[in-house]
Amino acid sequence: MFKRSHDREAVQEIVVRADPTLAQVEDNPAHSRFDLWVGDELVGILGYRRLDGVDGPPIAGTAVALMHTVVKEEYGDRGWAAVLVHEVLEESRVRGWRLHPVCTYVRRYLGSHTEYLALLDDQA
């Protein structure tokens, strides 16, 4: 995952375009979501839930629905959602999750990043 940057000048440029080196994506299992941080600011989230009905964080082999991707309005249309989704897909690969993309943004992302299609659950 990316390291969180505390470079205020770099963070001020966020409105212009997304820069993955300024971002950190962290799992927030208490809220069933991944958080996108830029500097000290929470910029976006990608929610998830287990499809097996079990409480608790998903484990390897678990089918996981990617529910919604949300980016703060002032960061929108700058590529931050793509940074978030990319990192979540990479982490899902590492964790061995089988994905069910409910979120339309994630579906569109997968349409142009076919290297992640192998992560999809057979039921997706």
Side-chain angles (χ1 to χ4, degrees), residues 1 4-5 10 24 27 43 46-47 49 51 60 66 73 83-84 95 98 102 105 107 109 114-115:
M1 301 253 174
R4 194 177 298 182
S5 172
Q24 181 174 349
D27 189 5
V43 170
L46 198 163
R49 70 175 175 86
L51 293 177
L66 298 180
E73 186 175 346
V83 170
L84 176 56
R95 294 180 182 195
R98 297 182 347 261
V102 174
Y105 183 86
R107 288 180 182 183
Y109 188 92
T114 57
E115 67 272 23

Side-chain angles (χ1 to χ4, degrees), residues 22-116:
L22 299 176
Q24 181 174 349
V25 176
E26 299 174 349
D27 189 5
N28 185 342
H31 291 101
S32 298
R33 71 184 195 204
F34 285 91
D35 296 337
L36 170 64
W37 293 88
V38 178
D40 293 325
E41 186 167 0
L42 179 61
V43 170
I45 62 170
L46 198 163
Y48 62 84
R49 70 175 175 86
R50 293 176 70 142
L51 293 177
D52 60 7
V54 176
D55 287 333
I59 59 173
T62 303
V64 177
L66 298 180
M67 301 303 295
H68 55 275
T69 304
V70 179
V71 173
K72 283 185 172 180
E73 186 175 346
E74 61 268 29
Y75 292 85
D77 298 321
R78 307 289 186 242
W80 289 110
V83 170
L84 176 56
V85 170
H86 170 80
E87 284 302 306
V88 169
L89 293 174
E90 286 293 324
E91 188 63 21
S92 297
R93 183 190 324 252
V94 169
R95 294 180 182 195
W97 291 358
R98 297 182 347 261
L99 300 179
H100 181 84
V102 174
C103 173
T104 57
Y105 183 86
V106 172
R107 288 180 182 183
R108 284 193 311 267
Y109 188 92
L110 289 168
S112 59
H113 295 85
T114 57
E115 67 272 23
Y116 295 109

